[in-house]
Amino acid sequence: MLTSLVMVTSRSFFTVGVACLLGVAHMVHAIENLSAGYRITKINELSDGSGILARLKLISGSETFGPDLDSLKLTARYEEGGRMHVHITDAFRRRWELPQSLIPRDHVEHVRIGQLASLLATPEGAFTLTHESTLASSHPLKITWTSDPCSFAIIRKSDGEVLFNTLPGEEGGNHAFNPMVFKDQYLEISTRLPQNSFLYGLGESTRPDGMRLAHGRTYTLWATDIGSWNVDIPLYSAYPFLMEIRRGGQAHGVLFLNSNGMDIDYKSGDLLTFKVLGGVFDFYFFAGQSPMAVVDQYTQLVGRPAAMPYWSLGFHQSRYGYKNIDELEAVMAKYANINFPVESIWSDIDHMDSYKDFTLHPEHYPEERLRRFVEGLHEKDQKFITIIDPGIKIDETYSTFTRGRDFDIYLRNGTGGGYYIAQVWPGFTYVPDFLHPNAVDWWTKELEEFFKLVPFDGLWLDMNEPANFCSGPNCYYNPAVPCNIIDECCMTCNNDPDHLTRWDNPPYKINGYGSKLPLYKNTVAMTAQHHDGSRIYDTHNIYGMAEGLATFRALKKITNKRPFVLARSCFVGSGAHSAHWTGDNGATWSDLKYSITSLLNSGLFGVPMVGADICGFYFETNEELCQRWSQVGAFYPFSRSHSDIHSGPQEIYLWKSVTETASNAFYWRYRLLPFFYTLMYEAHKTGAPLARPLFFVYPEDNETWTIDNQFLLGNCILVSPVLLSGQTSVRAYFPKGIWYNLFDTSKMIRAVDHGIWEHLPAPHDVINVHVRQGSIVPMQDFAMTTTLARKTPFTLLVSFAPASDFAEFCAAPYSIVCQGSDREYASGHIFIDDDSQAFMEITESHATYVKLEAIRTDGHYVLRSIVTEPDYAMDQGLVIKTISVLGVQSQPYSIRVNDRVAVVEVKVNANASLMELKGLNLPVGEEFELVWNTMPNGSTTHSI
């Protein structure tokens, strides 16, 4: 069937095949007994030639999971940016879809319809666009159709590879599945895959299998308040996005833009089935063809990652259980005593009065003293972040509560009238409706009033799945009866099935909590309603995203600074305003290992500012685990130590070995701050993750496709941590090239013709970090805060690679460099700004961008910079003081800067293959060309 489909479509870029598939519906219906699918009855061409609008009619259905919708509307469009869009909904009635306010995009109902076309317009039964647009003809993807039952396939034009194929197969065969099913509360669609496919994505969950999706598993998307130390069950966020890699490393992406709960069955190596509780089919296909290109195209749609303030890249200290300000002061003093850089200290719910948002405990966190403490932090260039939970205590003396009622921004009880009541830390609460048009104004007012009490620097959004200590739609409480156990339900809940609506008890049960528990388990009832009548049944998975966006907008207005928002529950597009942490992990070696997959997945989903709680949150940690975890955590994009009140403290100063190891690791993190910040700029502009799986950079090397115990920072720093107790060596993979140990450049790995595995020594105080040849890594000096560190002189770490490895450089005007066997090249860049703009833009007097490139031809070296908007760097007085060149053992001579002889201190360490040019003092804001030659022999050090 697949061959017939492709052959039919070879005549045009947009076709509908008919006659050969009439018998398929009956066969598949017999297999699954759910539906015979839909038949296309007519097609309208879009007036701009970008696609079609088709009408679909039910062939026959079943009562399983409810009656089938009779008529559907299908819109398919070629879109900019290598994107294909297929949208299927009820032909006559509006159904729930993700709000435009969360992810702005072209709405399918806004397209203009052109002429009506017949299905049998040609003898072959193929429909050809009569007004084919330039976009459609030049698009890297094409779409093909069958009419009876309706199915579609997405095909890559360059090689005819079928990327997504909903055509049912033969009865009894491995490819057999239902045609498309569309019921009010159950949607199903499947795609066939090649054998031994490599799929990634579909989160969030903790995955012992690693980053690659595992055959035989069901991936459930349902935001859940459960510790991330639990494996293979849905966690806090929902990301219906996946990436696939096929032969030659070619990648493509699929986004199913649907916020309803869903199961995605990956039951065999060649079949993926989406089973959804409502909404519409809204698919976006991204052509790729590299993994980085897929993420670029995906984030172009859902939103580029937010710009993060520079200080957020420092080390953060937190704990649930700092019971008063004395403890905060003591913790910061102990860190200062060991000279460890702490950028910020965080306050969990301990600071609240009766756990109410925007309040301070009058005895433990009195207003005046807390303000003095925070002001003291600010005087030392340190920060203070507080937690916010969405539940608002029902209390007539609580101004936040009464103002929210005045704004009418609480969720409504969908069954009994009035506001919906939940129970969380403060007791009985109302739940804000962050989709309400008044919500941002109310939320901004509350944050503004709190900011007057405590000049916080960022906000931490917890419990925003939203969590609820009670489970069930029919829960009641007696205000006269006190609730003495704050984290257990104090309400009376009647969850008898006879008292449940079809929303809280839908006909199909997704695999929530790994055991098909009710949707309302520990969250808001599915019948609770927003201001416009939409139900939590549809919006549950985007609640955290809506709160994150409201918080981001409020902070931008209140502080007039770049906001920092850390959110537990996210959705696709959340990265445009929020950072994320992997939630309540465990202090176990397994959790340390899982953290890497979780980080890499978050970057894949477009939320690159991500970290895991260092040393673990739940359970008692130990010295060895904390030592190893601090090594890894120093290279997380977001680096924070956080622990639970029921576990012992785990600050880095508690063990001498941890102190020494973490101090060394974080020394390098702070030196690498300009590198991290430039990666954030890259993420903000292209969606590229900060922490990347190896296959993102080396997709053509299929050995990298299953590696998830190592990660890359950008394209050039490889982190290979120890993840097992008692381990003093690590087996690491090195893709083709030369890799220099960042801490000891005398140790290098040569993977000349192909990637290799190496056993590396890793004593307890060492983590293996390597720099890829061909890179220029910007660094600055170490300092105790990011504010001080970013004022220090720059060092450029340069390592050359064969120029032929850099195709973009081998183009004119530098193509001559790629000729011959002894020509090498390196590149890098630096982005710096004043941290005040909401976006990371290269603008006059606010930011400077520097492109760096180096060329070696025989013994002749050239390092040059190209500067965009130099004023900011010049105003800051930033200079490049040192150039460190790896792979050099010969003495340089004739050193010139901008064609003038330079006075420089030169050090050559032949054993380390390292040459250093010190004392350069090149202004970052001025373009320069540094030229030198090397001699075969000479002294190891001298000045010129």
Side-chain angles (χ1 to χ4, degrees):
M1 288 297 184
L2 178 59
T3 302
S4 300
L5 179 63
V6 175
M7 287 177 63
V8 167
T9 61
S10 64
R11 297 170 57 90
S12 64
F13 292 133
F14 213 120
T15 62
V16 179
V18 181
C20 63
L21 299 168
L22 293 177
V24 174
H26 173 73
M27 292 188 296
V28 178
H29 183 72
I31 294 167
E32 297 289 349
N33 198 30
L34 262 186
S35 172
Y38 292 81
R39 178 185 298 112
I40 298 178
T41 60
K42 61 181 178 180
I43 293 179
N44 291 293
E45 182 179 350
L46 304 183
S47 60
D48 61 0
S50 66
I52 62 165
L53 177 65
R55 192 63 63 87
L56 281 57
K57 185 74 174 177
L58 180 69
I59 300 171
S60 65
S62 70
E63 291 302 313
T64 305
F65 306 139
D68 298 77
L69 273 63
D70 185 67
S71 297
L72 302 178
K73 178 177 59 176
L74 182 153
T75 308
R77 301 180 65 203
Y78 295 97
E79 297 187 356
E80 299 283 355
R83 190 170 69 227
M84 177 76 73
H85 187 197
V86 178
H87 181 278
I88 306 172
T89 187
D90 192 315
F92 302 110
R93 285 178 289 185
R94 183 181 295 274
R95 291 179 61 81
W96 167 258
E97 298 188 41
L98 192 80
Q100 291 277 338
S101 60
L102 297 185
I103 299 181
R105 59 204 185 277
D106 290 340
H107 199 284
V108 293
E109 293 186 359
H110 294 165
V111 299
R112 296 178 58 195
I113 306 303
Q115 70 180 68
L116 180 66
S118 168
L119 269 176
L120 303 178
T122 69
E124 295 87 355
F127 170 71
T128 304
L129 289 175
T130 56
H131 296 96
E132 186 175 280
S133 66
T134 301
L135 176 61
S137 63
S138 62
H139 204 280
L141 301 177
K142 66 179 177 181
I143 186 165
T144 66
W145 304 92
T146 66
S147 66
D148 194 347
C150 173
S151 68
F152 66 90
I154 306 297
I155 300 172
R156 187 163 53 218
K157 288 181 187 176
S158 62
D159 56 7
E161 189 84 4
V162 180
L163 307 181
F164 197 88
N165 183 12
T166 69
L167 173 65
E170 298 177 358
E171 185 172 10
N174 292 332
H175 297 302
F177 54 80
N178 273 311
M180 179 175 63
V181 179
F182 206 121
K183 303 169 185 283
D184 189 28
Q185 288 185 265
Y186 182 78
L187 283 64
E188 179 179 311
I189 197 167
S190 299
T191 178
R192 278 180 282 162
L193 300 164
Q195 288 289 335
N196 196 33
S197 54
F198 284 78
L199 296 177
Y200 309 88
L202 300 179
E204 176 183 38
S205 59
T206 297
R207 298 179 181 169
D209 294 322
M211 192 173 181
R212 180 189 177 190
L213 300 187
H215 298 157
R217 291 207 181 274
T218 294
Y219 295 92
T220 301
L221 273 57
W222 188 248
T224 305
D225 173 22
I226 188 169
S228 57
W229 51 270
N230 294 278
V231 300
D232 289 328
I233 59 176
L235 295 177
Y236 316 98
S237 302
Y239 302 107
F241 173 71
L242 62 87
M243 178 186 291
E244 183 178 2
I245 295 184
R246 297 192 183 176
R247 61 177 182 268
Q250 296 188 91
H252 65 275
V254 180
L255 170 64
F256 181 20
L257 198 58
N258 182 304
S259 64
N260 288 85
M262 67 180 76
D263 286 338
I264 302 98
D265 288 340
Y266 190 22
K267 291 302 187 185
S268 66
D270 61 353
L271 184 63
L272 194 72
T273 301
F274 297 82
K275 301 177 179 180
V276 197
L277 296 183
V280 302
F281 288 123
D282 195 4
F283 282 101
Y284 290 87
F285 302 94
F286 306 98
Q289 296 181 20
S290 69
M292 295 287 278
V294 171
V295 173
D296 186 359
Q297 294 157 3
Y298 159 71
T299 56
Q300 187 178 10
L301 173 69
V302 302
R304 299 296 197 193
M308 293 289 159
Y310 199 98
W311 61 261
S312 67
L313 293 169
F315 171 76
H316 308 275
Q317 178 61 50
S318 179
R319 176 169 168 80
Y320 171 30
Y322 288 146
K323 60 181 180 291
N324 54 43
I325 299 176
D326 289 339
E327 288 200 15
L328 298 184
E329 292 176 336
V331 167
M332 296 301 282
K334 290 176 182 176
Y335 271 113
N337 287 340
I338 64 168
N339 293 315
F340 191 86
V342 179
E343 189 68 17
S344 72
I345 192 161
W346 295 47
S347 175
D348 209 311
I349 56 176
D350 310 281
H351 74 270
M352 299 178 181
D353 180 12
S354 302
Y355 303 112
K356 294 181 291 187
D357 283 340
F358 315 117
T359 66
L360 299 175
H361 193 286
E363 296 179 10
H364 301 158
Y365 284 83
E367 175 187 340
E368 290 298 327
R369 188 176 171 197
L370 182 59
R371 185 185 295 111
R372 289 197 303 272
F373 172 73
V374 174
E375 289 172 349
L377 291 175
H378 291 167
E379 290 173 359
K380 292 177 284 189
D381 299 320
Q382 294 170 313
K383 306 294 186 291
F384 183 69
I385 293 90
T386 60
I387 198 169
I388 297 290
D389 294 338
I392 303 300
K393 183 176 177 62
I394 302 171
D395 182 348
E396 293 294 338
T397 67
Y398 178 29
S399 58
T400 293
F401 166 75
T402 56
R403 281 193 292 262
R405 188 174 56 192
D406 293 342
F407 275 97
D408 192 31
I409 51 77
Y410 297 122
L411 292 175
R412 293 277 177 176
N413 191 331
T415 57
Y419 294 124
Y420 175 80
I421 299 174
Q423 182 194 326
V424 280
W425 294 113
F428 308 118
T429 62
Y430 287 163
V431 184
D433 172 8
F434 285 105
L435 297 179
H436 195 290
N438 294 333
V440 172
D441 288 342
W442 167 73
W443 199 238
T444 301
K445 172 67 175 176
E446 302 314 311
L447 289 173
E448 189 173 36
E449 293 299 314
F450 189 51
F451 190 73
K452 293 175 183 176
L453 298 180
V454 185
F456 55 81
D457 298 283
L459 288 174
W460 170 20
L461 307 182
D462 198 20
M463 307 288 284
N464 58 342
E465 291 70 35
N468 186 359
F469 295 156
C470 295
S471 298
N474 303 308
C475 294
Y476 309 93
Y477 78 101
N478 183 348
V481 178
C483 185
N484 296 320
I485 305 176
I486 61 172
D487 57 355
E488 294 184 10
C489 183
C490 294
M491 290 199 266
T492 300
C493 300
N494 181 0
N495 295 324
D496 187 286
D498 293 337
H499 294 85
L500 297 178
T501 70
R502 65 189 181 102
W503 308 109
D504 283 291
N505 187 28
Y508 175 77
K509 307 296 188 290
I510 62 173
N511 199 32
Y513 285 88
S515 54
K516 296 187 181 294
L517 293 179
L519 294 178
Y520 55 75
K521 169 71 174 173
N522 291 130
T523 191
V524 170
M526 299 298 102
T527 49
Q529 293 183 352
H530 294 268
H531 69 286
D532 60 357
S534 55
R535 298 179 182 86
I536 285 290
Y537 178 84
D538 296 304
T539 67
H540 170 85
N541 279 341
I542 58 173
Y543 187 89
M545 179 187 189
E547 185 197 24
L549 179 58
T551 306
F552 179 86
R553 289 174 173 170
L555 283 183
K556 189 162 62 170
K557 181 178 180 180
I558 294 167
T559 65
N560 200 31
K561 295 179 181 178
R562 184 176 298 167
F564 177 76
V565 179
L566 183 77
R568 190 168 79 172
S569 183
C570 296
F571 191 73
V572 294
S574 284
H577 43 74
S578 300
H580 179 59
W581 89 106
T582 63
D584 298 342
N585 59 4
T588 73
W589 288 95
S590 295
D591 283 86
L592 170 58
K593 181 179 185 297
Y594 302 155
S595 74
I596 296 178
T597 294
S598 296
L599 258 67
L600 298 179
N601 272 328
S602 186
L604 172 69
F605 298 134
V607 189
M609 188 59 168
V610 59
D613 286 343
I614 296 172
C615 300
F617 177 76
Y618 281 127
F619 321 132
E620 295 290 337
T621 194
N622 61 75
E623 183 174 359
E624 183 192 6
L625 175 61
C626 208
Q627 184 180 28
R628 289 302 193 188
W629 211 322
S630 66
Q631 292 172 349
V632 185
F635 297 95
Y636 288 161
F638 171 66
S639 187
R640 183 184 72 161
S641 174
H642 181 51
S643 57
D644 181 39
I645 192 172
H646 302 103
S647 305
Q650 57 191 44
E651 289 80 9
I652 283 171
Y653 52 71
L654 293 175
W655 301 275
K656 182 179 179 181
S657 67
V658 176
T659 298
E660 293 174 351
T661 299
S663 294
N664 182 59
F666 278 91
Y667 165 85
W668 283 99
R669 180 188 180 88
Y670 273 66
R671 290 211 63 194
L672 287 167
L673 284 173
F675 175 72
F676 273 98
Y677 195 63
T678 302
L679 289 181
M680 182 57 67
Y681 168 74
E682 187 179 347
H684 184 59
K685 304 306 289 186
T686 70
L690 279 70
R692 303 169 188 175
L694 274 64
F695 70 79
F696 261 52
V697 182
Y698 297 94
E700 72 287 346
D701 182 353
N702 57 14
E703 192 78 12
T704 67
W705 296 1
T706 56
I707 294 175
D708 39 37
N709 56 359
Q710 299 171 262
F711 60 94
L712 285 160
L713 293 172
N715 288 349
C716 60
I717 292 184
L718 178 63
V719 182
S720 307
V722 167
L723 303 172
L724 296 173
S725 177
Q727 188 176 10
T728 56
S729 66
V730 62
R731 183 172 181 260
Y733 185 73
F734 291 87
K736 179 183 175 182
I738 297 176
W739 297 83
Y740 297 90
N741 187 301
L742 177 64
F743 315 130
D744 183 354
T745 58
S746 66
K747 300 174 182 177
M748 68 181 75
I749 304 295
R750 294 181 180 272
V752 180
D753 298 319
H754 52 75
I756 60 173
W757 289 93
E758 287 283 329
H759 284 279
L760 305 174
H764 286 291
D765 59 346
V766 169
I767 182 173
N768 279 278
V769 181
H770 288 79
V771 178
R772 174 198 185 194
Q773 68 173 162
S775 58
I776 301 177
V777 179
M779 299 189 296
Q780 288 177 272
D781 292 347
F782 172 82
M784 290 292 287
T785 65
T786 63
T787 300
L788 293 175
R790 68 185 308 194
K791 297 176 181 178
T792 63
F794 278 80
T795 294
L796 301 183
L797 183 63
V798 183
S799 58
F800 286 94
S804 57
D805 290 351
F806 293 84
E808 72 277 10
F809 188 74
C810 288
Y814 304 116
S815 57
I816 190 173
V817 178
C818 300
Q819 301 172 12
S821 60
D822 194 23
R823 285 159 173 78
E824 294 185 322
Y825 177 65
S827 66
H829 56 154
I830 306 171
F831 175 83
I832 51 178
D833 69 359
D834 61 7
D835 225 9
S836 65
Q837 303 174 101
F839 303 101
M840 299 175 91
E841 302 288 351
I842 305 172
T843 54
E844 184 179 1
S845 301
H846 290 281
T848 297
Y849 177 79
V850 183
K851 180 180 178 182
L852 300 162
E853 55 188 24
I855 306 161
R856 185 189 71 79
T857 307
D858 297 321
H860 181 70
Y861 292 79
V862 179
L863 171 64
R864 65 168 65 96
S865 71
I866 303 169
V867 180
T868 305
E869 296 295 346
D871 290 352
Y872 176 71
M874 295 301 294
D875 291 344
Q876 298 299 305
L878 297 173
V879 297
I880 299 169
K881 189 174 182 179
T882 302
I883 306 292
S884 298
V885 186
L886 298 171
V888 176
Q889 296 177 319
S890 300
Q891 187 69 37
Y893 68 95
S894 183
I895 302 173
R896 304 177 73 85
V897 175
N898 298 332
D899 209 27
R900 293 184 178 181
V901 175
V903 179
V904 218
E905 179 187 356
V906 179
K907 284 190 174 183
V908 176
N909 185 335
N911 293 328
S913 294
L914 176 67
M915 181 194 76
E916 293 180 294
L917 305 179
K918 294 176 172 288
L920 287 165
N921 293 320
L922 303 173
V924 174
E926 288 184 2
E927 294 185 352
F928 67 85
E929 184 174 81
L930 174 64
V931 179
W932 72 92
N933 295 286
T934 57
M935 59 183 68
N937 299 299
S939 60
T940 56
T941 64
H942 75 267
S943 297
I944 296 179

